[in-house]
Amino acid sequence: MTDSHADTRKASDLFIECLEAEGCEYIFGVPGEENLDFLDSLSRSKQIKLVLTRHEQGAGFMAATYGRHTGKTGVCIATLGPGATNFVTAAAYAQLGGMPMMMITGQKPIKKSKQGLFQILDVVAMMDPITKYTRQLHAGDNIPSRVREAYRLAEEEKPGAVHLELPEDIAEEPTDATPIPRSVARRPSAEPKAVDQAVAALEQASKPILVIGAGANRKMTGKMLAEFVEKTGIPFVTTQMGKGVLDERHPLFLGCAALSAGDFCHRAIEEADVIVNVGHDVIEKPPFFMRDDGHTVIHVSNRSAEVDPVYFPQIEVIGDIANAIWQIKEDITRQDHWQSAALKRYHQAELDHTESLAADTRFPIFPPHLVQRVRESMPDDGIICLDNGVYKIWFARGYCASQPNTVLLDNALATMGAGLPSAMMSAMLYPQRKVMAICGDGGFMMNSQEMETAVRLGLNLIVLILRDDAYGMIRWKQANMGFEDFGLTYGNPDFVKYAESYGAQGHRVESSDHLRELLAHCRDTPGVHLIDCPVDYTENDRILNQDIKELSAKL
């Protein structure tokens, strides 16, 4: 090679350089033959580690969870066709959940291919409705601008999924292009007049309240909200995805709106007259329903409110959320006429009700009792990662979160199968912290093969399986709608033997006391542990759909 071409290398090498320039640490996935140039380039990276998974969905969930924890883009790779279609659920999970994630998929050569339409799908068109950005790379020289743009969009509010398709012939094409450095973009600040309006409405209120949503669960917002609550004494509730932004042991915490109406915290929201809705995201089930004759709602978010039959805020403060809360905090004066303290009685009633349920030591294990046992066993900075099922409501309501991102639940796509991969990612990122995946038997079996990946990575992890031998959430709904019990029960493998076959340790719960002992043992013993925990879901419907509504209404 002559000196004039000394800086030419194949485009896949450039792609890896661009990812390194963005700070990429891991690439998760299942490569195929269309990714082999990329894989060759990756093998020489000193910075990026390949994490081989057993299914592309697991890789996508891990990449998305990396983004959720760090705010940086998680990267995953798959081949064309079936590899790319297996990313679809993970793409939607990241897109709806606000998690920055980049998918890289292979493709046949685009200049000349001798394989007809074998395995060919229009992956870019397929990804278009479920990503912020999706492009096929047509030339090696375009890679730096495409990668930089994809990262920018993935991480910008609201974060989400992006996709780049790298065809085989482009990957091996020579190029002398170089990475484009990351730019620093400050988020716009809220308009002072909007802040003045919000402050005036709050100061005139008699019972103001804060509702903390998914959008508040990023950046500096928790710190500013804590200062706001301390200065004003205004109480707060959270949505499912707002859990942990503020410490829920705080005396002004009024509960988690895990349901949309009728819970104890909803009585507090109904009695309030001004609601500051922080980081509201319409992908979550509404934490409360607005009515024409009801509250003044102040919408504090990065973007204006999507108007909805049950959500049409009168005052909007748009800009960086942490900065907006800081501005409101600086301007506001604590008012003697505020009576928000009266709202605390609703949360006390909820705590009393939950305490009586959590004391029930029956076997199979009663869900509120299970939540209490898990909370007792986990340190403050321990991370629980919930899959999807009816237990999500019990954990959202009853599990006290004291730090951000210590309760990873998905109330956006609400997909099954993400609990185990998200816990694996958490354990990789924070090896010093205790991590537990909490899965129903249905959700666990959707990606149970990643147990092999967890063992191979040498992770310390508890996988708690709540076994009811059924798709319990749907069965609960079926009963609630008055339908016959039909079509939702199944058998399961022997989960203890199943765990051991992967080289993990398997345990089976035999009583409430045994559950406590097992949780402590697995927490303090390295390695991957699976706990098979039979649960009693027979009273879900009565408690969640009847008792809570009746008891809270009496207050």
Side-chain angles (χ1 to χ4, degrees):
M1 191 181 278
T2 61
D3 286 349
S4 62
H5 295 293
D7 52 2
T8 307
R9 65 270 189 249
K10 64 181 178 181
S12 58
D13 289 342
L14 171 63
F15 204 138
I16 296 297
E17 286 169 32
C18 290
L19 293 174
E20 288 175 338
E22 297 287 351
C24 177
E25 299 177 90
Y26 300 105
I27 295 178
F28 306 91
V30 184
E33 59 183 303
E34 286 71 28
N35 309 113
L36 288 175
D37 273 297
F38 185 90
L39 203 61
D40 171 58
S41 301
L42 177 58
S43 73
R44 291 188 291 277
S45 175
K46 302 276 189 287
Q47 176 182 319
I48 305 172
K49 183 174 176 230
L50 174 69
V51 177
L52 191 66
T53 61
R54 303 309 300 267
H55 192 289
E56 292 84 358
Q57 202 178 85
F61 289 145
M62 289 183 79
T65 304
Y66 175 90
R68 183 179 194 167
H69 274 304
T70 65
K72 301 188 298 188
T73 304
V75 182
C76 51
I77 187 170
T79 191
L80 81 179
T85 59
N86 277 349
F87 265 160
V88 166
T89 303
Y93 171 78
Q95 182 74 348
L96 271 61
M99 310 176 206
M101 185 256 264
M102 177 194 280
M103 297 168 285
I104 300 165
T105 60
Q107 189 53 278
K108 295 286 182 215
I110 49 175
K111 293 174 189 172
K112 51 180 179 190
S113 173
K114 299 188 177 74
Q115 296 200 34
L117 292 180
F118 176 63
Q119 287 193 306
I120 301 275
L121 291 171
D122 189 342
V123 176
V124 172
M126 178 178 80
M127 291 294 183
D128 188 61
I130 52 171
T131 56
K132 295 178 77 176
Y133 180 80
T134 173
R135 293 287 186 276
Q136 183 182 71
L137 295 164
H138 296 136
D141 292 352
N142 288 352
I143 288 172
S145 58
R146 291 280 192 254
V147 171
R148 179 81 284 274
E149 179 68 352
Y151 262 85
R152 180 183 76 80
L153 287 166
E155 291 171 14
E156 192 175 273
E157 284 294 333
K158 174 185 169 183
V162 296
H163 166 247
L164 292 174
E165 178 176 85
L166 180 63
E168 265 185 289
D169 50 352
I170 305 302
E172 63 183 23
E173 189 176 277
T175 178
D176 57 4
T178 54
I180 295 173
R182 284 180 70 92
S183 56
V184 179
R186 299 291 300 168
R187 293 180 296 283
S189 295
E191 219 279 318
K193 286 179 184 169
V195 173
D196 293 344
Q197 266 189 305
V199 170
L202 278 167
E203 289 183 347
Q204 288 159 20
S206 63
K207 290 181 183 171
I209 193 171
L210 282 172
V211 177
I212 299 170
N217 209 348
R218 297 191 278 273
K219 314 290 188 233
M220 289 285 290
T221 311
K223 182 174 182 290
M224 290 304 160
L225 281 166
E227 290 177 15
F228 177 87
V229 169
E230 289 315 310
K231 179 175 177 181
T232 60
I234 294 175
F236 63 96
V237 298
T238 74
T239 68
Q240 288 191 34
M241 291 179 81
K243 276 184 79 68
V245 174
L246 288 180
D247 189 335
E248 293 177 5
R249 296 170 298 192
H250 197 288
L252 292 169
F253 174 60
L254 302 183
C256 172
L259 306 167
S260 286
D263 206 341
F264 294 93
C265 65
H266 294 109
R267 307 302 176 192
I269 295 170
E270 283 160 20
E271 196 171 304
D273 56 346
V274 174
I275 299 170
V276 185
N277 208 13
V278 185
H280 178 65
D281 194 326
V282 289
I283 50 100
E284 285 207 83
K285 285 185 176 172
F288 61 90
F289 297 137
M290 278 185 76
R291 292 189 303 275
D292 288 342
D293 56 348
H295 312 89
T296 297
V297 175
I298 302 169
H299 175 87
V300 181
S301 196
N302 290 286
R303 54 176 66 181
S304 52
E306 287 183 48
V307 177
D308 185 86
V310 296
Y311 192 63
F312 39 89
Q314 299 92 337
I315 298 170
E316 302 198 35
V317 183
I318 307 304
D320 178 68
I321 297 175
N323 172 270
I325 295 296
W326 176 79
Q327 286 191 59
I328 295 170
K329 178 204 72 168
E330 289 296 298
D331 289 0
I332 203 166
T333 306
R334 190 171 181 148
Q335 301 295 309
D336 293 335
H337 64 260
W338 282 341
Q339 300 161 29
S340 303
L343 302 175
K344 293 203 286 199
R345 70 185 193 277
Y346 294 107
H347 188 49
Q348 191 53 53
E350 180 185 343
L351 291 174
D352 294 343
H353 177 240
T354 301
E355 189 179 2
S356 63
L357 296 174
D360 187 329
T361 58
R362 73 176 76 167
F363 185 81
I365 306 289
F366 194 41
H369 180 71
L370 175 95
V371 172
Q372 183 184 37
R373 283 279 188 247
V374 172
R375 178 66 281 184
E376 287 165 0
S377 78
M378 290 297 272
D380 288 348
D381 70 346
I383 300 168
I384 62 169
C385 301
L386 303 182
D387 204 275
N388 229 64
V390 71
Y391 51 88
K392 192 173 77 171
I393 296 172
W394 288 112
F395 274 92
R397 289 182 80 252
Y399 186 91
C400 181
S402 53
Q403 294 182 23
N405 281 330
T406 53
V407 178
L408 295 197
L409 54 73
D410 166 25
N411 195 32
L413 184 66
T415 178
M416 294 165 76
L420 174 58
S422 66
M424 289 162 57
M425 185 70 251
S426 302
M428 279 181 79
L429 268 175
Y430 305 111
Q432 304 313 313
R433 292 165 71 177
K434 305 299 182 184
V435 178
M436 185 186 301
I438 300 170
C439 309
D441 42 12
F444 171 73
M445 287 304 289
M446 289 193 178
N447 272 312
S448 66
Q449 69 279 352
E450 299 308 340
M451 289 286 286
E452 189 278 322
T453 312
V455 170
R456 174 164 33 94
L457 291 170
L459 300 179
N460 297 322
L461 179 66
I462 301 173
V463 184
L464 178 62
I465 298 181
L466 313 185
R467 179 166 58 79
D468 66 331
D469 300 311
Y471 291 118
M473 182 97 173
I474 314 307
R475 206 177 176 198
W476 168 51
K477 185 77 175 165
Q478 189 176 52
N480 178 243
M481 291 171 72
F483 292 129
E484 287 297 308
D485 186 16
F486 172 75
L488 294 167
T489 58
Y490 46 67
N492 271 310
D494 179 328
F495 283 123
V496 173
K497 289 180 181 167
Y498 187 68
E500 289 168 350
S501 73
Y502 282 118
Q505 295 169 64
H507 313 268
R508 185 168 289 112
V509 176
E510 281 155 14
S511 68
S512 157
D513 286 341
H514 188 223
L515 171 63
R516 186 183 65 232
E517 291 163 19
L518 277 179
L519 288 171
H521 166 76
C522 295
R523 177 196 63 209
D524 300 333
T525 311
V528 178
H529 295 266
L530 181 150
I531 301 175
D532 173 359
C533 180
V535 288
D536 180 354
Y537 278 163
T538 51
E539 292 181 58
N540 280 342
D541 187 48
R542 180 179 63 78
I543 297 169
L544 294 174
N545 285 329
Q546 294 165 34
D547 293 5
I548 287 169
K549 289 174 181 169
E550 286 165 19
L551 287 166
S552 65
K554 286 177 187 161
L555 296 170

